[in-house]
Amino acid sequence: MDNAEPWLLEIRLFTVKPGSREEFDRISREGTIPLMRELGITVVAHGPSLNNDNGYFLLRAFPSEQERVERAQSLYATDEWLTKYDGPVSSMIDDYETAVLPVNSAALSHLAEPVTR
């Protein structure tokens, strides 16, 4: 990550349908997150929310708004997304919200550090 320019941190908060979070997490870990990374999307962190049984979060970082839009569009247009993930993932999501904010690379690195509990 370039230290000179601020990055954009995208925070996605999903509400998944009751009883589907474990499968949503498995598909994320084994499929959609690796696909995002293959396409050059920086996935900072993701996982089940600690304060909501139906909550799931995804933190992604992009060097610009244009990159954020273009990389997301490229992800959702891949054959792999369309054939393997679009239907199952969409059917598990009740709702989601996205927030985007500027952050420096040091903050992103700190967020990406593993947390031990």
Side-chain angles (χ1 to χ4, degrees):
M1 285 178 237
D2 183 1
N3 289 324
E5 296 293 322
W7 281 63
L8 294 180
L9 178 65
E10 177 191 79
I11 303 170
R12 284 211 172 168
L13 299 174
F14 297 94
T15 301
V16 297
K17 293 181 180 168
S20 67
R21 189 168 76 169
E22 187 174 317
E23 179 65 2
F24 188 87
D25 183 46
R26 184 194 66 76
I27 290 172
S28 296
R29 284 181 289 104
E30 296 175 6
T32 62
I33 300 301
L35 177 59
M36 289 177 203
R37 289 180 170 145
E38 284 174 24
L39 295 171
I41 296 173
T42 302
V43 177
V44 178
H46 64 93
S49 173
L50 297 179
N51 67 330
N52 178 344
D53 290 342
N54 299 318
Y56 198 89
F57 70 91
L58 171 63
L59 304 180
R60 305 189 296 188
F62 301 89
S64 69
E65 178 63 10
Q66 180 178 341
E67 283 278 322
R68 186 180 82 82
V69 171
E70 289 174 359
R71 290 188 190 230
Q73 288 174 343
S74 71
L75 168 67
Y76 302 126
T78 63
D79 286 340
E80 185 173 353
W81 179 269
L82 293 170
T83 60
K84 291 174 76 173
Y85 307 122
D86 189 40
V89 168
S90 296
S91 71
M92 287 186 257
I93 297 172
D94 262 343
D95 195 18
Y96 74 93
E97 293 197 31
T98 303
V100 178
L101 59 143
V103 295
N104 64 40
S105 60
L108 287 177
S109 295
H110 186 69
L111 285 171
E113 291 176 1
V115 176
T116 55
R117 297 177 68 186

